[in-house]
């Protein structure tokens, strides 16, 4: 007993140091697994509040370019709407089909208040939370393409796992045919992500457009991601293709969060298959 | 000035300076200074080290919360906070009896330079190794350590030059 007390006396700083290092390591490992970090993230009230105060000011500097992007998107959507009108006018009889009115996705808007793209595991913070109905595993996009998946929500803020995160994996496919693979990031260039596990017989050319595949319960089908810039001709294990993102991930403003209304249904279906 | 007020202010200023200004520099896309470790250099030596270790840990943890990096800043800054005494012994030849009289601003520049450079490089190397979290891209870790260390050191010495000249 005496020796034990002596031991603690002698190494008390070292033991304290080890304890704190152990806590830091535990937090680090927790942070790397999706949705486990409950406390140490920027979506809490203090850091979220401070970030949104700073974003309030810095948003003014990009107002002009944001307006332009908004106008471009509006033009695009108006054109789509015009096409839709023609289609409905050409129908000679009114078909009432209840399933057509079944809405599958609902969109919410949010602002990015904190962005990071230079690390290997990047996260964003947006200024909407549980109060506005945000949950984990919802898609985050903007008019140019995908951004990430929501990770952790507090009442007013949500953390988003960026596609520029070594842990993220998103179902993606070629736009002109239906071959699909998964989208990963190797942590090097923040403009370039990798499409892996795409079948070898898929005809891929430089310049092909990549979009989301709709095989997950998170992203709707057909949201743009980027274009192919490098095709791997040698036979490697995972057949990796470099994709340049349409989004400039270092310069993001307002975003949309997509909620899948059928998610619960899909998940219960998938779970029963496993049993 | 009152010591407690001074170091509380230093803690907060370094934290917010790092979070809102220095983390957004990203020179050439990835080179960032990590000036918050100046807290370890400036905090007075004390025989009782619990407070110092705890404060260093909290500063790192605060930065981790803001930058969503898990606990890597806390780990790295706590490590240099713990090994600080060893390098003080090595470079300045100060022992426990000298701690109350030790002031980093009155030491010769050569010794301070060695001390600060060593701790900065150790800190940055640990930080980038954990941030990378794999055995790939080791060259990136080394390059990041090198460039960011230079950036941090330049900022630190400019800052000390500005703030101590007026005495």
């Amino acid at each position: 007993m005496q020796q034990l007390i002596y031991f603690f006396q002698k190494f008390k700083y070292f033991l304290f140091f080890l304890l704190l290092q152990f806590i830091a390591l535990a937090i680090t490992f927790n942070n790397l697994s999706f949705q486990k970090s409950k406390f140490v993230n920027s979506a809490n009230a203090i850091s979220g509040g401070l970030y949104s105060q700073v974003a309030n000011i810095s948003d003014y500097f990009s107002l002009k370019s944001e307006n332009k992007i908004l106008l471009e998107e509006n033009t695009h959507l108006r054109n789509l709407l015009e096409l839709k009108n023609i289609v409905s006018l050409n129908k000679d009889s009114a078909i009432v089909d209840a399933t057509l009115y079944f809405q599958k996705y609902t969109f919410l808007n949010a602002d990015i208040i904190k962005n990071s793209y230079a690390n290997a595991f990047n996260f964003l913070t947006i200024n909407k939370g549980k109060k506005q109905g945000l949950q984990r595993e919802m898609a985050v996009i903007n008019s140019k393409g995908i951004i990430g998946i929501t990770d952790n929500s507090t009442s007013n803020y949500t953390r988003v796992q960026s596609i520029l995160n070594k842990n993220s994996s998103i179902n993606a496919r070629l736009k002109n045919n239906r071959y699909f693979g998964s989208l990963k990031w190797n942590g090097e260039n923040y403009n370039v992500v990798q499409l892996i596990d795409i079948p070898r017989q898929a005809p891929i050319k430089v310049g092909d457009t990549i979009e989301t595949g709709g095989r997950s319960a998170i992203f709707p089908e057909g949201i743009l991601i980027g274009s192919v810039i490098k095709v791997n001709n040698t036979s490697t294990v995972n057949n990796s293709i470099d994709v340049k993102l349409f989004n400039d991930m270092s310069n993001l403003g307002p975003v949309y969060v997509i909620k899948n209304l059928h998610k619960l249904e899909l998940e219960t279906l998938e779970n029963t298959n496993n049993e | 000035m009152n010591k407690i007020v001074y170091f509380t202010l230093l803690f907060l200023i370094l934290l917010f300076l790092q979070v809102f200004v220095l983390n957004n520099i990203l020179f050439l896309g990835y080179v960032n200074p990590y000036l918050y470790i100046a807290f370890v250099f400036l905090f007075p030596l004390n025989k009782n080290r619990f407070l110092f270790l705890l404060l260093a840990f909290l500063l790192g943890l605060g930065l981790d919360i803001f930058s969503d990096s898990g606990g890597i800043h806390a780990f790295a800054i706590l490590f240099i906070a713990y090994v600080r005494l060893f390098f003080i012994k090595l470079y300045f030849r100060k022992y426990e009896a000298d701690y109350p009289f030790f002031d980093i601003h009155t030491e010769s520049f050569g010794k301070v330079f060695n001390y600060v450079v060593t701790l900065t490089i150790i800190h940055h190397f640990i930080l980038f190794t954990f941030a990378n979290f794999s055995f790939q891209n080791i060259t990136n870790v080394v390059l990041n350590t090198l460039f960011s260390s230079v950036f941090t050191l330049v900022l630190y010495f400019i800052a000390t030059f500005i703030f101590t000249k007026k005495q």
Side-chain angles (χ1 to χ4, degrees):
Chain A
M1 194 65 205
Q2 195 73 38
Q3 286 203 326
L4 198 66
I5 292 168
Y6 176 73
F7 174 80
F8 279 118
Q9 274 293 327
K10 197 179 174 192
F11 292 108
K12 57 183 175 183
Y13 298 118
F14 185 64
L15 290 172
F16 186 62
F17 165 71
L18 277 188
L19 174 76
L20 291 182
Q21 287 298 58
F22 179 76
I23 295 171
L25 271 186
I27 296 168
T28 308
F29 280 101
N30 254 340
N31 189 51
L32 292 178
S33 55
F34 195 48
Q35 290 155 15
K36 262 196 169 171
S37 58
K38 283 277 174 284
F39 309 107
V40 183
N41 68 54
S42 61
N44 63 50
I46 299 169
S47 58
L50 281 169
Y51 269 128
S52 65
Q53 290 294 325
V54 173
N56 260 347
I57 300 163
S58 57
D59 275 355
Y60 281 105
F61 298 108
S62 56
L63 218 51
K64 204 170 174 180
S65 60
E66 286 304 335
N67 270 333
K68 207 176 155 221
I69 292 168
L70 211 59
L71 202 64
E72 277 167 8
E73 197 192 359
N74 270 339
T75 320
H76 175 69
L77 291 177
R78 269 179 189 279
N79 282 333
L80 278 183
L81 211 62
E82 213 48 44
L83 285 174
K84 202 127 193 167
N85 274 341
I86 294 164
V87 171
S88 60
L89 278 176
N90 283 346
K91 282 176 186 161
D92 51 358
S93 61
I95 310 162
V96 179
D97 186 353
T99 54
L100 278 183
Y101 297 108
F102 237 57
Q103 190 187 1
K104 200 177 166 192
Y105 298 102
T106 157
F107 289 69
L108 289 153
N109 70 307
D111 272 318
I112 287 178
I113 55 173
K114 179 241 161 187
N115 186 8
S116 78
Y117 52 88
N119 308 326
F121 300 90
N122 292 301
F123 294 96
L124 312 144
T125 312
I126 56 176
N127 66 349
K128 293 277 165 73
K130 278 179 185 158
K131 272 186 191 165
Q132 287 83 14
L134 264 69
Q135 290 164 351
R136 60 189 183 84
E137 291 192 4
M138 287 162 79
V140 180
I141 65 164
N142 69 5
S143 59
K144 286 182 182 167
I146 64 170
I147 289 168
I149 298 170
T150 59
D151 170 14
N152 226 312
S153 286
T154 54
S155 54
N156 286 313
Y157 304 99
T158 303
R159 186 168 85 154
V160 178
Q161 182 182 291
S162 165
I163 44 169
L164 304 182
N165 187 314
K166 277 185 176 177
N167 284 333
S168 73
S169 167
I170 289 160
N171 180 278
R173 68 164 188 227
L174 291 160
K175 198 180 180 182
N176 49 9
N177 50 50
R178 297 288 167 117
Y179 289 109
F180 67 93
S182 46
L183 202 70
K184 296 255 186 187
W185 188 53
N186 62 4
E188 279 167 19
N189 186 341
Y190 66 83
N191 280 319
V192 179
V193 292
Q194 281 72 34
L195 184 65
I196 61 163
D197 293 336
I198 197 141
R200 220 168 284 278
Q201 69 269 27
I204 304 165
K205 294 187 295 292
V206 170
D208 280 357
T209 307
I210 304 290
E211 58 178 23
T212 54
R215 271 179 178 74
S216 71
I218 298 170
F219 280 100
E221 210 175 340
I223 290 173
L224 296 178
I225 295 171
S227 58
V228 176
I229 53 165
K230 201 182 122 213
V231 180
N232 215 344
N233 287 322
T234 56
S235 46
T236 51
V237 178
N238 53 19
N239 197 21
S240 157
I241 294 156
D242 281 357
V243 177
K244 189 177 188 305
L245 293 170
F246 291 132
N247 255 330
D248 179 4
M249 291 298 285
S250 63
N251 182 20
L252 296 171
V255 293
Y256 303 110
V257 182
I258 306 174
K259 187 179 184 180
N260 189 345
L261 301 172
H262 291 186
K263 194 179 163 196
L264 199 69
E265 207 177 319
L266 278 168
E267 276 175 356
T268 45
L269 196 65
E270 278 165 10
N271 285 339
T272 48
N273 278 346
N274 288 339
E275 281 165 7
Chain B
M1 206 197 300
N2 190 341
K3 276 264 153 81
I4 297 168
V5 177
Y6 176 75
F7 284 104
T8 315
L9 276 179
L10 185 73
F11 185 96
L12 292 175
I13 288 171
L14 283 175
L15 178 62
F16 292 131
L17 183 75
Q18 185 65 46
V19 170
F20 293 115
V21 182
L22 301 181
N23 271 357
N24 297 319
I25 289 181
L26 293 171
F27 184 63
L28 298 178
Y30 60 94
V31 182
N32 245 357
Y34 293 94
L35 196 64
Y36 72 100
I37 55 170
F39 189 76
V40 174
F41 308 143
L42 298 175
F43 203 83
L45 295 181
N46 215 329
K47 218 177 154 188
N48 188 346
R49 290 154 70 195
F50 283 124
L51 181 69
F52 170 61
L53 289 177
L54 189 67
L55 282 177
F57 177 74
L58 288 179
L59 180 61
L61 196 67
L63 199 56
D64 281 322
I65 289 173
F66 275 98
S67 50
D68 284 313
S69 48
I72 58 172
H73 287 289
F75 189 94
I77 195 176
L78 189 65
F79 187 82
I80 60 162
Y82 185 76
V83 299
R84 169 174 93 147
L85 280 186
F86 171 76
F87 287 105
I88 283 187
K89 231 178 253 173
L90 189 73
Y91 291 129
F92 300 108
R93 312 229 168 274
K94 300 283 183 200
Y95 299 96
E96 261 180 36
D98 308 313
Y99 290 168
F101 313 107
F102 179 78
D103 182 5
I104 197 165
H105 302 306
T106 55
E107 294 293 328
S108 70
F109 182 77
K111 286 176 180 173
V112 173
F113 184 80
N114 285 344
Y115 170 66
V116 170
V117 167
T118 317
L119 286 187
T120 307
I121 288 176
I122 293 174
H123 171 269
H124 284 31
F125 184 70
I126 294 173
L127 183 70
F128 289 118
T129 311
F130 271 85
N132 186 37
F133 218 79
S134 75
F135 292 110
Q136 296 164 347
N137 308 335
I138 290 292
T139 44
N140 269 5
V141 172
V142 175
L143 283 180
N144 256 335
T145 307
L146 211 66
F147 293 146
S148 293
S149 296
V150 172
F151 204 166
T152 307
L153 290 168
V154 167
L155 271 188
Y156 176 75
F157 286 116
I158 289 173
T160 44
F161 180 74
I162 292 168
F163 287 115
T164 53
K165 199 77 185 167
K166 287 171 193 136
Q167 278 176 358

